[in-house]
Amino acid sequence: MTNLQIAALAYGAVTLVYLIPTYIEGERAGGQWSAHRIAGLIFCLVWPLLTLVFILKVMAGASKPEFVLVDPTAAIRTNPPRD
């Protein structure tokens, strides 16, 4: 089994993790096939990719000790600027 096949198998497994609850939720809500329900099922194919991007982003940023949400204009200065 190649790496690409393993990746495709993992992607398919994660897709099913998202797809099954979405399908069950649609069945419990009445089971009608509307455009929103079909779009939700199609988007289940995209969520694993977004999850992977999120995980990679967290892993890449874990070694950097910076605060992303800090506004530099509102930061408190430890040493006031000299005139």
Side-chain angles (χ1 to χ4, degrees):
M1 193 175 260
T2 66
N3 288 340
L4 183 60
Q5 290 173 328
I6 293 171
L9 183 64
Y11 192 85
V14 173
T15 299
L16 282 176
V17 168
Y18 288 106
L19 189 63
I20 291 171
T22 303
Y23 177 78
I24 292 171
E25 180 183 2
E27 287 297 312
R28 287 184 180 169
Q32 297 177 349
W33 288 93
S34 66
H36 290 118
R37 183 173 181 198
I38 293 170
L41 292 172
I42 291 171
F43 284 140
C44 286
L45 300 172
V46 179
W47 301 141
L49 182 61
L50 294 176
T51 303
L52 179 64
V53 168
F54 175 75
I55 290 170
L56 292 175
K57 184 73 173 169
V58 168
M59 288 174 56
S63 62
K64 298 177 184 176
E66 63 181 69
F67 297 98
V68 178
L69 299 176
V70 173
D71 184 7
T73 58
I76 300 172
R77 296 183 182 182
T78 55
N79 296 328
R82 297 183 185 201
D83 294 325

